[in-house]
Amino acid sequence: MRATIVTVGLALALSGCVAAPPPGPPPIPVARYEPVPPPPGPRLVWQPGGWHWNGAGYVWIRGHYVQHLAAYHHWVPGRWAPNGAWVPAHWV
């Protein structure tokens, strides 16, 4: 009987000890507006600016022209993956 009381008391005492979930990644700020200048050459494509996570905070990487490659179909902004890892912006 005494063991039952101790077990129930211990269970009640520990039931309030719930660890808070770790904080999620900070939300990505709203993209900045950047006017797109005319291309300086015929085989260049605009790579838009975007936010990049540097491990401590977001930094803005300005848009610029890059050499167009056949593999460039569209630009994917940086984002947080479901596993909590930062996926930098890239072409796919």
Side-chain angles (χ1 to χ4, degrees):
M1 172 91 164
R2 181 180 169 147
T4 304
I5 294 172
V6 171
T7 303
V8 170
L10 185 60
L12 288 173
L14 293 178
S15 65
C17 299
V18 177
I28 300 171
V30 175
R32 294 180 179 175
Y33 170 75
E34 289 185 315
V36 180
R43 298 274 307 144
L44 297 173
V45 63
W46 180 254
Q47 180 170 302
W51 294 104
H52 179 76
W53 179 255
N54 68 3
Y58 291 103
V59 292
W60 180 258
I61 306 296
R62 295 186 64 161
H64 57 280
Y65 278 97
V66 295
Q67 187 69 35
H68 183 269
L69 300 177
Y72 290 176
H73 297 290
H74 66 275
W75 179 251
V76 178
R79 67 191 189 293
W80 291 102
N83 66 358
W86 175 254
V87 179
H90 59 281
W91 288 96
V92 292

